[in-house]
Amino acid sequence: YQRRVHGEVFEVWPSTFLKTITVKLDSRHSNPMSKPESIPDANDSRILANLNKFLVLFLTEEGTRDLRHKLTLIGICEATLVVLSLLNFISSDWLLFHFGIAPRRFGGLLGLFFAPLFNYSFSQLTLVLMPFAVLGLLIMMRDFGLELFILNVVSNALIGGIFVWTFGRDIIHAGSSSMIFTFFGFLILFGIIRKDLKSAGVALLVFFLYGGVFWSMFASSGMSSWESNLFGLLIGCAIGAYEAYCGEGAASSPSTSTSKPIGSSEKASLTSTDEDLDDDIA
């Protein structure tokens, strides 16, 4: 079919299931005087909307440009982590000891802004880079994804840092792994609460790929900060729960909506919606 996006017409060759839904919705209006035999299932419309969004994302210039911008942001963040780790190595951990979190010392409050940017070793850095890219991109692929990504990063640094400064052991706390636990907690709990196909699928994928990080949270060797990981996970879970219950699109979540008989007003609204759909699908 053809879809018009910002004045440009794109030809989309959907799968058989999507084509079946499109023909089903379009065939109801082949005769304007005919009465539809049944009201289409709301799940069909939801699946059609999600598949259309996915196809437009990868088949339109605007979608690919948006994806490039998100990948660029991830690349800038990871390049920053690598450069700061190199500078810390050259300075013989001077940057880490001066910009990490020192619990219950006022000078250590400076680490609230910089502690997640430094790592104790290059081995710790290499373990962080790939999960940061994958989980961060999964968050940014959601609606309002950039805002959610920034919210997770800033909350992990400030709120998590305050908890570490208050309750942490008397060592220098630093490391980017706390951001991984924040992303992990957000995606898992958000998918569990929302229970829609997309969120649950992402949560299952994240747990399958990185579920092992949960068991390594309390693995403490040398100066690794399990406190930062723990508070990062709790903050991610809190943000995920808030977004699932109170965030954008929470009212339309299948887990919070209730089914009710469709009256005449709902049928008229559905008919007008389908007429608008015919303008987009030819």
Side-chain angles (χ1 to χ4, degrees):
Y1 63 92
Q2 292 181 344
R3 185 173 182 85
R4 183 177 299 275
V5 179
H6 295 288
E8 298 182 20
V9 178
F10 298 90
E11 286 192 356
V12 181
W13 294 86
S15 62
T16 303
F17 181 62
L18 178 59
K19 186 176 181 180
T20 301
I21 298 176
T22 303
V23 173
K24 173 183 176 183
L25 296 177
D26 185 66
S27 62
R28 292 177 53 224
H29 297 281
S30 57
N31 185 0
M33 302 301 296
S34 62
K35 181 179 180 181
E37 297 179 359
S38 61
I39 301 298
D41 189 2
N43 290 329
D44 290 348
S45 300
R46 188 179 300 112
I47 293 173
L48 178 62
N50 289 333
L51 290 178
N52 278 342
K53 183 184 299 183
F54 177 81
L55 291 173
V56 170
L57 174 64
F58 291 100
L59 294 179
T60 65
E61 182 180 355
E62 182 185 2
T64 54
R65 188 189 306 115
D66 181 66
L67 181 60
R68 286 197 302 268
H69 291 167
K70 293 174 180 177
L71 291 174
T72 301
L73 178 59
I74 292 291
I76 292 174
C77 293
E78 296 206 332
T80 303
L81 296 179
V82 173
V83 170
L84 290 178
S85 295
L86 287 174
L87 294 177
N88 180 63
F89 175 77
I90 294 173
S91 66
S92 300
D93 291 335
W94 184 89
L95 292 175
L96 187 146
F97 281 101
H98 285 78
F99 293 97
I101 298 176
R104 294 168 295 280
R105 300 174 187 173
F106 288 104
L109 290 174
L110 188 62
L112 299 181
F113 303 97
F114 300 103
L117 303 178
F118 295 98
N119 293 278
Y120 293 107
S121 62
F122 280 105
S123 60
Q124 184 184 19
L125 175 65
T126 55
L127 292 175
V128 165
L129 291 179
M130 183 58 70
F132 181 88
V134 174
L135 299 180
L137 186 60
L138 286 175
I139 291 177
M140 285 197 289
M141 295 294 288
R142 303 201 58 85
D143 296 333
F144 305 97
L146 181 59
E147 290 82 354
L148 290 175
F149 177 81
I150 296 175
L151 176 63
N152 277 273
V153 172
V154 174
S155 299
N156 168 73
L158 298 183
I159 302 177
I162 290 175
F163 279 107
V164 171
W165 185 85
T166 305
F167 302 105
R169 294 169 294 162
D170 192 15
I171 62 172
I172 301 298
H173 296 263
S176 305
S177 59
S178 60
M179 290 190 288
I180 306 304
F181 281 90
T182 302
F183 295 163
F184 180 83
F186 172 83
L187 291 170
I188 291 294
L189 199 62
F190 187 88
I192 291 175
I193 296 176
R194 284 295 295 270
K195 297 180 182 179
D196 61 272
L197 183 61
K198 178 182 177 181
S199 302
V202 170
L204 184 62
L205 176 64
V206 169
F207 186 80
F208 177 77
L209 291 177
Y210 300 109
V213 302
F214 181 81
W215 309 112
S216 65
M217 179 190 307
F218 299 102
S220 178
S221 60
M223 299 178 65
S224 61
S225 175
W226 61 263
E227 294 96 330
S228 298
N229 298 337
L230 174 61
F231 290 124
L233 178 66
L234 295 178
I235 289 170
C237 291
I239 297 175
Y242 176 81
E243 287 296 325
Y245 285 120
C246 308
E248 295 290 340
S252 60
S253 173
S255 60
T256 59
S257 62
T258 56
S259 60
K260 61 180 181 179
I262 299 179
S264 57
S265 60
E266 286 82 357
K267 290 181 180 179
S269 176
L270 182 59
T271 302
S272 62
T273 301
D274 291 338
E275 291 176 354
D276 295 337
L277 182 63
D278 287 339
D279 295 336
D280 288 340
I281 300 178

